[in-house]
Amino acid sequence: MNKYLVLFFFPIVFFGQNLKRSLSSENWKFKQVDTKNWFTATVPGTVHTDLLANNVIPDPFLETNEKNVQWVEKKDWEYKTSFFLSQSEMNFKNIDLQFDGLDTYASVFLNNQLILEANNMFRIWKIPVRKYLLEGENILKVVFKSAVIEEQHIAKKQSVQLPTDERVYSRKAPYQYGWDWGPRLVTAGIWKDVKLHFWNQLTLVNSSYKQVQLDSQKADLEFNTTVFSEKKQVITIKVNDSIAKVELQKGLHKIPIKYRINNPKLWWCNGLGEPNLYAFKISLFDDLQEIESQEMNIGLRTIELIQEQDAIGKSFYFKLNGKPVFMKGANYIPEDSFLPRVADSVSQKRIEDAVAANMNMLRVWGGGVYASDAFYNACDKNGILVWQDFMFACAMYPGGKDFLENIKQEVIDNVNRIQNHPSLALWCGNNEIDEAWHNWGWQKQLKYSKADSTQIWKDYQKVFHELLPNTLDSLYPEKKAIYWPSSPSIGWGRKESLLQGDAHYWGVWWGKEPFEIYEEKVGRFMSEYGFQGMPDMTTFNYFSNGNQLEFDSESIKSHQKHPTGYETIKEYMQRDYIIPKTFENYSYVSQLLQAKGMKVAIEAHRRAKPNCMGTLYWQLNDCWPVTSWSSVDYFGNWKASHYQVKQSFENLLISVGEDKEKYQVYLVNDSLQDILGNLILKTIDFNGKVLFEKTILTEVKANSSQIVYTFSKKDIPKKYRKKSVVQLQFVTKEKKVNTTFYWVKPKDLQLLKPGLKITKIDEVTYEITSNVVAKNVCLSSDEKTHFSHNYFDVLPNEVYTIKVTQPVKTVSVKSLFDTLN
């Protein structure tokens, strides 16, 4: 019998293509262990969302329901399904069962055989199961132990209590245990896809690539494809149009294949150029057909973290394609407390929000989860660089052999998944642990002996100075991974924190320092700072479930997770604003307050360029409807701060700095070209009368911050300070940049009642005018839409054009003046 006849009669056995089959769509059921009632389940999912779908628990996001579902975390849960295998599927020599995510302590049974004990939410679990499977019906069961009970058992066996709580013993998303912006909802479940992988003599394990050489003429790449072969054989690997024949022995092989791109287009971050991507397909062939393949999009770029001694300390900045880049962005947290219900479109929308606000970097914070493929793909496509934390935050972790091995496999799984993305800029070991150990008083609080402290710090060094960087080096070609052990490098209370490394500055908010301190406390790279703002009124109405909105309601209080959150907002509001009497106006002014704080911080950081080369505020998004530091609330509504960030992150920024004697007008240019234009300064009173006007022809150098005009405070008559505004414009051939500047705080302004007029031009376009200065004009609608501009100042004799994403029947408008009575 020749091989073609064999192929005809037994295609799957010898030459068939490897197959993958998802089991997520099978009919899953779940129940509480030790009970008899089964309910329908969704996979991927969580026990909380399944209980909610079956009306067993109330929605944890509404009112005070979070408190009423805490019992869920203390129970064990069982999931099961049946699936059928055909004769052709059973003809495969190898069948692997793969769980992309199990949360967290899971025992997996296949046809009553225990095949896996999982203990890490972040790992991929892959088990050979051919010998356990049957033609026809098969039963798959997963039993989840209560993570909090497991952690308590582990903690009792320890000789020394570690700081924070028992969560440190689990490789599980820390934010689930509650944070000062998030609820305590400790989940369990099959939270990512589960699938079967059918293969015979050959399978593609993983692919990565490295840039061997990159210049304007060519890009030389080397793809490294890891293949497992069950026998000695000759195979073909194809990378797009590049083909290589390889003779394999039995076992695991890493096969290098070279590829050249002529006249390459570079990948640039948002604001500096196009994020050009090249699509590749890596295919594995036997002598007749494709067996298996993997696809990836590659961006050609170089990324460097530059740390060099200089006149004030040590630099900390990124070079992209050889150019120093000021990083503008935010910290990104998980998009939901129940991650399986986050659609790819939601992740894509958060990246679109970042792009629209002129960001070029997001930090994936270490207290959440490694983000979804959809997140990184969207960052690649949109030119958003990623500062990627490993999932460790605000706690000390054990250093035992089993725990370290578990972490190592977690790193391998996630680095292999993420490393090919051109958006990935840096791996960071943890969030705030180095700072916490040295500055938060743990050692004194827990009465550690010198030996205890020494051992705990040794365990820290094992993880963050040995295991993580060494594992990264083993996975990256030529040890090219950029690794930073801990963010921040030094705590915000120490002078050195502003002279080197990255800084988290929390003197504002936690330290109750005024916003103006942001202008003094500027570090080399500001990777965390922030201020809270209340969410959109529709968000309040949602979680209050239609109840009246009042500060003393339990619903409102339960959706503020910082212990003194509302008190802190009020204290700051008293400094800068007249406190409104109604809840709705208070919420609106709280957003203005947050926006003001972010404007002061961001623009101080940008004016300090090149000493400061990055500003990532806390935080972009929310995991549930809440009052928090986010600039985009849980439902995707932009707060006033996100509109302000959009302006403060413009590549060309006009910003006014102030000291005791003078005001200084800065032009900050993040583009890579010099820009020539006219700077127009105009002081007008609130009726629109021009009090001062000056035009200066100015060239602002590429990638720079420079002072272009200075005026003394002595030159500003006191009688005008409360009732005039400075309009600043920079006009070039291509565009016009605007901003406004007020001499005094909002509460001291002598605002006039504005006659705001809204004219509908077409279904999605409006024009807005006012007879006097209208400060912080807020547009809203009862229908879902997004306004292109909002919370902006309308000056007399100016026309402002606004677009909406969806046509609406009515648009409501108010300004700061409306909150004064």
Side-chain angles (χ1 to χ4, degrees), residues 403-655:
F403 193 79
L404 294 180
E405 182 58 32
N406 199 359
I407 293 171
K408 182 176 180 177
Q409 292 304 315
E410 170 190 324
V411 173
I412 292 169
D413 288 348
N414 286 283
V415 171
N416 283 339
R417 180 171 70 91
I418 298 170
Q419 69 168 318
N420 293 324
H421 290 278
S423 54
L424 182 63
L426 172 142
W427 291 96
C428 179
N430 67 72
N431 174 75
E432 294 186 346
I433 302 181
D434 188 300
E435 172 186 0
W437 180 252
H438 291 104
N439 298 325
W440 290 6
W442 283 341
Q443 298 169 71
K444 185 176 180 181
Q445 292 164 16
L446 295 169
K447 299 178 181 178
Y448 288 148
S449 67
K450 186 175 181 180
D452 292 338
S453 293
T454 299
Q455 184 57 53
I456 292 169
W457 185 244
K458 278 185 179 178
D459 288 343
Y460 172 91
Q461 291 177 311
K462 280 183 195 174
V463 175
F464 301 108
H465 291 273
E466 296 174 23
L467 187 147
L468 294 185
N470 291 343
T471 307
L472 276 172
D473 285 346
S474 73
L475 297 170
Y476 269 77
E478 298 173 4
K479 301 182 179 181
K480 286 290 181 70
I482 301 174
Y483 177 73
W484 186 239
S486 185
S487 178
S489 51
I490 302 171
W492 62 265
R494 295 169 59 187
K495 179 182 176 182
E496 295 83 0
S497 68
L498 302 178
L499 304 178
Q500 64 189 60
D502 70 316
H504 294 190
Y505 191 73
W506 286 106
V508 174
W509 185 267
W510 284 99
K512 301 288 185 72
E513 294 172 342
F515 288 148
E516 290 74 19
I517 201 71
Y518 278 138
E519 299 187 342
E520 300 175 25
K521 304 293 186 177
V522 179
R524 311 310 300 265
F525 193 105
M526 304 301 291
S527 51
E528 254 197 49
Y529 59 91
F531 195 87
Q532 282 197 358
M534 294 162 72
D536 189 83
M537 289 304 295
T538 59
T539 301
F540 274 114
N541 288 327
Y542 168 82
F543 71 67
S544 295
N545 214 12
N547 295 323
Q548 189 171 352
L549 300 176
E550 296 178 349
F551 275 109
D552 60 356
S553 79
E554 291 303 312
S555 177
I556 299 298
K557 287 191 285 188
S558 70
H559 287 75
Q560 164 61 274
K561 290 301 180 183
H562 189 277
T564 62
Y566 284 131
E567 293 88 338
T568 302
I569 291 173
K570 186 174 182 179
E571 181 175 331
Y572 275 85
M573 194 182 292
Q574 285 173 326
R575 298 175 188 177
D576 284 8
Y577 290 87
I578 295 172
I579 294 183
K581 294 179 181 178
T582 69
F583 186 93
E584 184 172 347
N585 283 341
Y586 192 100
S587 176
Y588 157 72
V589 173
S590 87
Q591 290 200 24
L592 302 184
L593 180 70
Q594 181 190 31
K596 184 176 187 291
M598 293 305 91
K599 173 182 170 68
V600 173
I602 290 168
E603 296 189 9
H605 301 158
R606 292 192 65 191
R607 292 197 303 267
K609 180 181 183 174
N611 288 338
C612 177
M613 285 296 286
T615 179
L616 309 177
Y617 67 87
W618 186 268
Q619 67 207 58
L620 175 65
N621 60 311
D622 282 323
C623 68
W624 76 316
V626 66
T627 293
S628 80
W629 291 265
S630 71
S631 60
V632 178
D633 77 15
Y634 174 74
F635 293 108
N637 302 302
W638 285 24
K639 298 181 187 177
S641 62
H642 206 76
Y643 286 98
Q644 179 59 58
V645 163
K646 178 182 179 181
Q647 180 178 341
S648 294
F649 278 165
E650 281 271 11
N651 255 11
L652 187 59
L653 171 72
I654 309 172
S655 181

Side-chain angles (χ1 to χ4, degrees), residues 384-413:
I384 299 295
L385 287 159
V386 176
W387 171 309
Q388 177 68 56
D389 282 5
F390 286 102
M391 293 304 117
F392 301 88
C394 305
M396 302 303 289
Y397 291 83
K401 182 180 178 182
D402 290 344
F403 193 79
L404 294 180
E405 182 58 32
N406 199 359
I407 293 171
K408 182 176 180 177
Q409 292 304 315
E410 170 190 324
V411 173
I412 292 169
D413 288 348

